[in-house]
RNA sequence: GGUCCCAUCGUCUAGUGGUUAGGACGCUGGCCUCUCACGCCGGAAACCGGGGUUCAAGCCCCCGUGGGACUACCA
């Protein structure tokens, strides 16, 4: 494989017909990592030649998702639709050199021929009706590429190795539609060539297009870039990942409380590996990423492992960044998050026991609810006469407690338990329900410290009052 | 149907002719413990099948089988 010394140029070229999905994000990530690894230039190009399905909103969404993942681009975004004049000119060139021809077969004719061919067990490829008719263009005509009828075309793939195709299997594909717009297989070639793309890294759903594209490169006199086709991402049923398999939009993961590092880390390991290492920083990825280490087989998307990684990043994130990423989840619930110290403490209580920021936000709602709702089962078990004495004792002694710290409180509660002839766990559980409304929460001493003496006493009083009222 | 790709625990993967086939998620037993987690220590769990090549095959070749992609005036 000839590796020229020229600077690497890659591109990510999504079509703006929806959100950035998991598969696209991984393709973008692989391109980005490869480019950063080799000090190249990463280009973003929006393939919006489908005038009907493309929307500006989708473009916006894709850009936002890229930014969230930290995948910055060096050039672009370029918009393919703005380049139609260039595409048309290249089409003219092919017609002049005899490498393309006008075709007036109607979509209906083509469709019925295709169906018939399929029904009779023949190849459903274009039958070449107009190939040698020497037609001139008209308002109904399309332009087809005149492909070689014999020989083979080989794709040298950086991931899959050499793949060869018999040219007779390849279709004379349409490169310009009747409306004058180029089709995908033509526009990519022209754009990639003119943008000086050296490495085309994309999903392997494109392998079958590649020989045709190579022929177009050659007919146009361009250098053929290197290709790297990455395997698809599959759902649990081994079918190509789609909405049926749950969330596939990158931004949906943000809303569900995932950290971008977790998604990046998960995605990069889907198809790529570096020995036994599972956790990678961006710096490590840039240093270690290589296409040689990308596997050839498709990978099943496993939400459980993503969750594990997310949990890992929630635990290990720098505090300030965690707060920044997390706060919106409380803000959108209308909680007052202006007390930075309180917030920071609450988050440090919660972060070791959440798999997502969303989960964390829900688990920590009690910090803001003065009249915390009691879980019925929890209350039935612990907000009872049996525990009232313990709770009252805590409320009575607390004002005089000098060491209102994690250690001080633990010592206090242990001593109290002994004094009252019970175990810490019973006092802790009753307190937990009084303070948080639930039987599950961060450590009770941590909760007390975070809440502060006043609020703790208030909540205990409210709980004991309720027990009395009920009793 | 045709063309092309792929094939190690349930899943993501390491492995590049000689390994007790390793790691991770998940599952699971235990420890820790104020609940839930975290953490720590253990366990079960894989080379798709059949032929070759070779002293020796998860690794190389062939054939099956299975899965996937493409087969548009979508990208």
């Amino acid at each position: 494989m000839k590796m020229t010394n020229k600077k690497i140029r890659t591109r990510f070229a999504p079509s703006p017909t929806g959100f950035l999905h998991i598969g696209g994000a991984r393709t973008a990530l692989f391109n980005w990592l490869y480019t950063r690894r080799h000090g190249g230039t990463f280009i973003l190009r929006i393939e919006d030649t489908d005038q009907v399905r493309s929307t500006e909103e989708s473009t916006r969404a894709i850009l936002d998702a890229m930014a969230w993942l930290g995948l910055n681009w060096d050039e672009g975004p370029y918009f393919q639709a703005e380049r139609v004049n260039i595409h048309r000119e290249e089409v003219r060139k092919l017609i002049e050199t005899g490498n393309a021809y006008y075709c007036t077969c109607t979509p209906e004719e083509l469709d019925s021929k295709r169906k018939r061919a399929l029904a009779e067990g023949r190849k459903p490829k274009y039958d070449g009706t107009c190939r040698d008719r020497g037609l001139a263009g008209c308002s109904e005509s399309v332009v087809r590429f005149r492909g070689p009828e014999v020989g083979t075309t080989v794709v040298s793939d950086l991931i899959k190795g050499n793949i060869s195709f018999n040219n007779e299997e390849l279709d004379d594909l349409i490169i310009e539609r009747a409306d004058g717009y180029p089709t995908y297989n033509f526009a990519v070639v022209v754009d990639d060539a003119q943008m000086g793309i050296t490495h085309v890294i994309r999903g392997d759903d494109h392998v079958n297009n590649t020989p045709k594209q190579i022929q177009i490169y050659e007919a146009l006199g361009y250098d053929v870039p290197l290709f790297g086709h990455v395997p698809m991402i599959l759902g649990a049923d081994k079918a190509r990942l789609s909405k049926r398999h749950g969330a596939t939009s990158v931004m949906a993961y943000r809303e569900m409380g995932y950290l971008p590092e977790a998604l990046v880390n998960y995605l990069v390991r889907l198809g790529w590996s570096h020995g036994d290492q599972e956790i990678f920083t961006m710096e490590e990825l840039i240093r270690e990423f290589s296409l040689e280490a990308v596997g050839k087989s498709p990978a099943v998307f496993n939400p459980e492992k993503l969750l594990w990684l997310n949990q890992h990043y929630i635990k290990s994130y720098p505090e300030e960044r965690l707060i920044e990423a997390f706060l919106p989840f409380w803000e959108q619930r209308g909680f007052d998050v202006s007390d930075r110290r309180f917030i920071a403490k609450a988050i440090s209580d919660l972060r070791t026991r959440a798999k997502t920021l969303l989960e964390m936000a829900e688990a920590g709602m009690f910090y803001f609810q003065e009249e915390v709702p009691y879980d019925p089962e929890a209350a039935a078990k612990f907000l009872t006469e049996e525990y009232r004495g313990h709770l009252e004792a805590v409320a009575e002694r607390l004002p005089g407690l000098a060491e209102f710290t994690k250690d001080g409180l633990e010592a206090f509660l242990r001593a109290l338990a002994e004094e009252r002839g019970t175990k810490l766990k019973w006092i802790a559980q009753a307190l937990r329900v009084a303070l948080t409304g639930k039987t599950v929460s961060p450590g009770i001493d941590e909760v007390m410290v975070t809440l502060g003496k006043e609020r703790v006493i208030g909540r205990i009083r409210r709980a004991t009052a309720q027990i009395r009222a009920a009793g």
Side-chain angles (χ1 to χ4, degrees):
Chain A
M1 194 147 309
K2 172 167 80 203
M3 244 341 259
T4 53
N5 289 325
K6 68 182 168 183
K7 202 178 173 199
I8 284 174
R9 288 172 66 83
T10 62
R11 48 58 162 193
F12 176 55
S15 63
T17 54
F19 303 109
L20 179 64
H21 54 88
I22 293 297
R26 190 189 58 164
T27 301
L29 176 63
F30 280 13
N31 269 286
W32 187 88
L33 288 172
Y34 188 77
T35 312
R36 294 289 172 259
R37 166 77 181 79
H38 295 98
T41 304
F42 179 54
I43 296 161
L44 182 61
R45 185 176 69 226
I46 305 296
E47 311 235 311
D48 54 352
T49 51
D50 184 338
Q51 301 287 302
V52 182
R53 298 195 304 150
S54 298
T55 67
E56 254 178 64
E57 187 194 354
S58 295
T59 301
R60 185 73 256 159
I62 290 167
L63 265 41
D64 286 349
M66 297 272 293
W68 182 64
L69 290 173
L71 307 181
N72 60 321
W73 52 94
D74 308 305
E75 282 181 29
Y78 294 118
F79 292 87
Q80 196 162 55
E82 292 171 3
R83 302 170 52 82
V84 283
N85 288 332
I86 296 168
H87 300 137
R88 283 175 190 155
E89 192 182 324
E90 296 296 287
V91 169
R92 298 288 89 79
K93 273 193 214 165
L94 287 183
I95 291 171
E96 279 164 26
T97 57
N99 284 306
Y101 59 91
Y102 289 105
C103 169
T104 53
C105 298
T106 67
E108 293 72 29
E109 283 168 4
L110 294 170
D111 196 46
S112 67
K113 279 181 183 173
R114 192 177 302 122
K115 281 185 179 136
R116 200 178 324 137
L118 225 36
E120 293 169 6
R122 301 191 326 263
K123 304 180 207 298
K125 73 176 253 189
Y126 181 58
D127 65 0
T129 302
C130 299
R131 185 171 163 113
D132 295 309
R133 287 171 72 190
L135 264 23
C138 65
S139 62
E140 261 108 76
S141 66
V142 300
V143 178
R144 280 183 188 274
F145 180 71
R146 187 192 303 275
E149 290 168 293
V150 294
T152 67
T153 299
V154 356
V155 178
S156 312
D157 195 279
L158 263 10
I159 294 169
K160 294 175 183 280
N162 286 174
I163 308 169
S164 86
F165 295 82
N166 279 322
N167 290 338
E168 62 188 78
E169 301 291 342
L170 273 24
D171 226 337
D172 270 4
L173 41 75
I174 292 173
I175 57 176
E176 188 177 276
R177 299 184 267 230
D179 64 6
Y181 281 86
T183 54
Y184 166 76
N185 280 295
F186 186 71
V188 247
V189 169
V190 171
D191 290 344
D192 284 343
Q194 295 202 352
M195 292 178 188
I197 302 302
T198 58
H199 295 66
V200 173
I201 301 166
R202 63 199 346 177
D204 77 2
D205 47 340
H206 288 283
V207 285
N208 288 298
N209 291 326
T210 308
K212 299 172 196 170
Q213 292 175 9
I214 288 174
Q215 291 174 356
I216 295 175
Y217 275 99
E218 286 169 345
L220 249 18
Y222 290 125
D223 286 343
V224 179
L226 263 16
F227 293 94
H229 288 99
V230 313
M232 300 278 85
I233 298 178
L234 276 23
D237 59 358
K238 305 265 183 155
R240 185 182 180 150
L241 193 68
S242 72
K243 318 90 224 156
R244 294 185 296 107
H245 302 103
T248 54
S249 148
V250 166
M251 289 313 249
Y253 281 91
R254 161 143 92 161
E255 284 155 28
M256 292 187 294
Y258 287 79
L259 261 12
E261 284 81 352
L263 196 52
V264 163
N265 200 147
Y266 178 70
L267 254 20
V268 79
R269 284 284 292 102
L270 219 46
W272 176 82
S273 60
H274 182 66
D276 283 343
Q277 191 171 349
E278 294 288 350
I279 309 285
F280 296 87
T281 62
M282 272 290 192
E283 293 66 38
E284 287 175 312
L285 289 177
I286 291 171
R287 179 156 24 93
E288 307 292 355
F289 187 80
S290 75
L291 290 177
E292 294 76 61
V294 172
K296 299 178 183 184
S297 47
V300 174
F301 185 81
N302 180 354
E304 298 294 320
K305 189 158 182 180
L306 206 207
L307 220 37
W308 170 74
L309 277 163
N310 202 48
Q311 182 179 39
H312 167 82
Y313 282 98
I314 288 176
K315 279 185 301 190
S316 57
Y317 236 44
E319 182 177 59
E320 282 309 305
R321 291 183 57 206
L322 183 65
I323 292 173
E324 186 189 350
F326 174 72
L327 237 38
F329 288 87
W330 268 346
E331 284 170 333
Q332 72 197 17
R333 282 173 168 70
F335 297 145
D336 174 11
V337 296
S338 59
D339 183 345
R340 198 69 174 187
R341 288 192 55 187
F342 175 63
I343 293 301
K345 185 65 179 71
I347 289 175
S348 89
D349 292 350
L350 294 163
R351 66 187 300 173
T352 57
R353 50 205 103 216
K355 285 187 158 67
T356 67
L357 300 181
L358 188 59
E359 206 178 286
M360 203 166 129
E362 277 160 9
M365 283 172 45
F366 72 87
Y367 282 111
F368 300 92
Q369 299 166 318
E370 256 358 287
E371 305 212 340
V372 65
Y374 300 125
D375 169 68
E377 266 183 57
K381 192 161 179 192
F382 293 106
L383 297 189
T384 63
E385 281 301 330
E386 189 186 350
Y387 292 96
R388 199 186 82 196
H390 299 328
L391 290 172
E392 283 171 345
V394 173
E396 277 160 27
R397 303 280 189 86
L398 235 30
L401 182 69
E403 286 286 301
F404 198 79
T405 60
K406 181 171 159 62
D407 289 344
L409 281 163
E410 188 180 340
F412 162 71
L413 292 175
R414 282 194 190 285
L416 187 72
E418 194 170 342
E419 180 186 324
R420 299 185 62 82
T422 184
K423 288 180 178 168
L424 174 60
K425 63 184 298 186
W426 303 121
I427 293 186
Q429 280 303 76
L431 267 176
R432 197 183 310 284
V433 178
L435 265 24
T436 73
K438 295 168 296 196
T439 51
V440 173
S441 84
I444 199 62
D445 43 13
E446 293 171 332
V447 168
M448 290 169 85
V449 171
T450 303
L451 248 21
K453 203 180 270 190
E454 301 307 312
R455 266 185 289 210
V456 168
I457 293 171
R459 290 188 189 194
I460 295 173
R461 294 287 183 210
R462 177 170 166 259
T464 53
Q466 154 140 344
I467 296 170
R468 268 209 208 79

